[in-house]
């Protein structure tokens, strides 16, 4: 498994209410995506980014960070082999990622993910 990107997931009570501070004050003006419960904002000049998360749509907890990897199945198998606590099982989510949550020995929850590609002929 190779890490491709790490994004901080900041827990907020309400994504829309928190948005102004992070976009106006910090200059993270580019909204890369928003699903209502999670949104990513980026500084278009530097590429610095942050995800605001009010509640995860399918997992029992919010992660502290999201880690994009090149092979999520390998990462999942390795986490299980090492005996790490899997907080949310390997799942194909409707918003286009395959992911699982793992708890680090220090208690931090990580969202380990890979973007899915749509196979030819899939709708």
């Amino acid at each position: 498994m190779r890490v491709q990107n790490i994004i901080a997931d900041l827990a907020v009570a309400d994504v829309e209410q928190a948005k102004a501070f992070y976009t106006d004050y910090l200059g993270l003006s580019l909204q890369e995506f928003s699903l209502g419960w999670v949104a990513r904002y980026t500084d278009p000049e530097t590429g610095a980014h942050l995800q605001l998360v009010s509640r995860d749509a399918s997992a029992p907890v919010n992660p502290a960070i999201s880690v994009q990897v090149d092979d999520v199945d390998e990462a999942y198998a390795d986490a299980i082999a090492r005996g790490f606590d899997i907080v949310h099982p390997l799942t194909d989510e409707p918003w286009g990622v395959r992911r699982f949550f793992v708890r680090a020995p220090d208690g931090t929850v990580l969202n380990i993910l890979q973007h899915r590609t749509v196979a030819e002929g899939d709708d």
Side-chain angles (χ1 to χ4, degrees), residues 54-74:
S54 62
R55 55 145 185 81
D56 193 274
S58 66
V61 297
N62 285 340
I65 62 173
S66 291
V67 181
Q68 183 179 352
V69 297
D70 64 347
D71 190 335
V72 72
D73 293 284
E74 179 186 338

Side-chain angles (χ1 to χ4, degrees), residues 2-59:
R2 182 178 201 167
V3 173
Q4 297 178 318
N5 195 13
I6 298 176
I7 300 168
D9 291 317
L10 183 63
V12 297
D14 183 289
V15 171
E16 271 307 305
Q17 286 181 350
K19 175 183 173 181
F21 176 82
Y22 296 97
T23 59
D24 295 342
Y25 179 65
L26 293 184
L28 304 177
S29 59
L30 175 64
Q31 180 176 290
E32 291 187 43
F33 71 88
S34 177
L35 300 176
W37 58 272
V38 60
R40 182 182 309 147
Y41 301 99
T42 301
D43 181 310
E45 292 180 25
T46 67
H49 51 253
L50 173 70
Q51 285 185 168
L52 304 179
V53 183
S54 62
R55 55 145 185 81
D56 193 274
S58 66

Side-chain angles (χ1 to χ4, degrees), residues 32-121:
E32 291 187 43
F33 71 88
S34 177
L35 300 176
W37 58 272
V38 60
R40 182 182 309 147
Y41 301 99
T42 301
D43 181 310
E45 292 180 25
T46 67
H49 51 253
L50 173 70
Q51 285 185 168
L52 304 179
V53 183
S54 62
R55 55 145 185 81
D56 193 274
S58 66
V61 297
N62 285 340
I65 62 173
S66 291
V67 181
Q68 183 179 352
V69 297
D70 64 347
D71 190 335
V72 72
D73 293 284
E74 179 186 338
Y76 186 70
D78 189 27
I80 289 175
R82 293 172 184 258
F84 294 144
D85 179 20
I86 303 299
V87 180
H88 180 65
L90 188 60
T91 306
D92 289 328
E93 301 289 8
W95 54 90
V97 298
R98 182 166 171 82
R99 71 179 185 155
F100 69 96
F101 286 12
V102 60
R103 188 180 312 277
D106 66 7
T108 303
V109 175
L110 288 75
N111 173 21
I112 310 294
L113 69 107
Q114 181 176 14
H115 290 275
R116 290 194 323 258
T117 57
V118 177
E120 240 178 85

